[in-house]
Amino acid sequence: MNSFFKLLNFELNRFMKLYIALLITIAVIQLIGTLVAAQKYMILVNNSFIKGGMNEKAFIEMYSTFSLIDNAYSLWVLGPLAIGIALLIIYIFFIWYRDWFAKNTFIYRLLMLPTSRMNVFFAKAVTIMLTMLGLIGMQIVLLYLEEKMVKWIVPKVFRVDLTVPEVISGVYQLSMILPESFMEFLVTYSLVFAFIVVMFTAILFERSFKFKGIAIGILYIFCSISLFILPVIVQFLLFGNLYLYPDELFFVEFFIWMVVVACSLLVSRYLLNRKVTV
């Protein structure tokens, strides 16, 4: 266990500078975007009052009030967040291939450490999970800051005050990565962990069998995803709708999750110990 935490700390430190730069960039862009949107709205208010001779009621009827949901739907918010998630997905590959193609083939030193090779695997997987959760946590903090910023710039009569949970539930993209309930959160990020493990296994197939491993890895990803959606497809083919109750479907999917993760870990262990060449 001590070896695992040392490897985890090592992997986090290797990514930390780039990761912090990513978080700062996302935060700056989102906060600037919120500032620009709020200021643009207030310029419209002032112009309408000064040049158009509107009163508050007429303005709201014509242009509506300012809502943090409208701001959250903008590219200023969703764009940087999507780029951040995309970069973390790319890092799933980079975290392995960097070691293979680094000077002096650094992976050789990692796999020769006096510890289980699966500790290397888990350290890399947990690094991805922690950085993903860190990104999500920062997004929640940013929503609170954006809420305060809007209240500071836009007078109460021209805005709709929403709580951060209301904003998240009102924006589909945010509700996907920030589930409302703790159970939904566990399900969502259990699937994220399964995705990471499956992708790691596909990478190890490629590293073990080279060009043939690419085809095996892609097939493995396809089969894993197919297993997850199979219960839904079978229900529609046999019954024309969702025959199972949500609780029943949850347990079926949870069983499939355990099978996929367990198989991926077993296969990865075999490949790391018997097939991977360094």
Side-chain angles (χ1 to χ4, degrees):
M1 186 61 70
N2 189 44
S3 298
F4 165 75
F5 284 114
K6 286 182 179 179
L7 285 167
L8 177 60
N9 181 64
F10 173 73
E11 291 290 351
L12 287 171
N13 286 336
R14 295 173 83 190
F15 187 40
M16 196 51 60
K17 289 182 180 179
L18 181 61
Y19 181 62
I20 291 175
L22 174 65
L23 294 185
I24 291 174
T25 302
I26 292 172
V28 169
I29 293 175
Q30 287 198 12
L31 293 176
I32 289 176
T34 302
L35 178 63
V36 168
Q39 291 285 11
K40 185 177 179 181
Y41 181 83
M42 288 311 300
I43 290 173
L44 180 62
V45 170
N46 294 330
N47 288 340
S48 298
F49 273 57
I50 296 172
K51 299 178 180 179
M54 284 187 175
N55 57 32
E56 294 175 355
K57 183 178 179 181
F59 177 86
I60 292 173
E61 287 178 352
M62 179 171 289
Y63 296 106
S64 186
T65 51
F66 189 89
S67 169
L68 197 57
I69 286 182
D70 296 327
N71 179 66
Y73 264 116
S74 72
L75 281 177
W76 285 96
V77 174
L78 295 181
L81 182 59
I83 291 172
I85 293 173
L87 289 176
L88 290 180
I89 293 174
I90 293 172
Y91 194 69
I92 291 176
F93 297 90
F94 186 73
I95 200 171
W96 282 102
Y97 286 108
R98 170 185 55 190
D99 294 336
W100 255 284
F101 298 114
K103 188 177 180 180
N104 299 324
T105 316
F106 187 74
I107 192 67
Y108 179 82
R109 295 167 60 186
L110 278 180
L111 297 181
M112 291 297 105
L113 290 173
T115 183
S116 170
R117 289 186 173 186
M118 286 303 291
N119 281 336
V120 176
F121 182 98
F122 285 122
K124 292 180 183 294
V126 173
T127 295
I128 300 294
M129 282 297 299
L130 290 178
T131 51
M132 181 69 73
L133 293 174
L135 175 62
I136 301 309
M138 187 200 69
Q139 182 58 65
I140 295 174
V141 173
L142 284 175
L143 288 174
Y144 279 103
L145 292 177
E146 290 160 13
E147 177 193 22
K148 300 297 182 184
M149 184 179 292
V150 168
K151 289 182 178 179
W152 175 52
I153 297 173
V154 182
K156 183 173 179 58
V157 68
F158 294 114
R159 70 175 191 261
V160 176
D161 289 332
L162 299 171
T163 64
V164 169
E166 287 173 335
V167 174
I168 293 172
S169 62
V171 180
Y172 175 72
Q173 291 86 341
L174 291 179
S175 64
M176 287 181 63
I177 62 173
L178 297 167
E180 292 184 32
S181 69
F182 180 68
M183 183 58 68
E184 289 176 340
F185 178 86
L186 286 179
V187 171
T188 298
Y189 287 95
S190 294
L191 292 175
V192 171
F193 180 75
F195 172 77
I196 294 170
V197 170
V198 168
M199 295 305 294
F200 276 13
T201 306
I203 291 169
L204 292 177
F205 270 124
E206 187 277 327
R207 289 288 82 196
S208 300
F209 302 106
K210 306 305 178 185
F211 290 109
K212 185 166 60 175
I214 296 175
I216 298 173
I218 293 173
L219 180 61
Y220 185 81
I221 294 171
F222 175 78
C223 290
S224 298
I225 294 174
S226 298
L227 276 176
F228 277 111
I229 64 176
L230 185 62
V232 176
I233 294 175
V234 169
Q235 288 181 80
F236 276 101
L237 289 177
L238 294 180
F239 308 105
N241 54 27
L242 290 176
Y243 180 78
L244 296 175
Y245 289 111
D247 289 345
E248 295 172 332
L249 183 59
F250 170 78
F251 283 112
V252 171
E253 292 287 3
F254 180 69
F255 175 76
I256 293 174
W257 178 89
M258 289 193 299
V259 170
V260 169
V261 171
C263 288
S264 296
L265 293 177
L266 289 172
V267 171
S268 295
R269 181 182 179 184
Y270 173 78
L271 293 175
L272 276 172
N273 291 331
R274 301 294 180 86
K275 295 295 181 178
V276 169
T277 57
V278 293

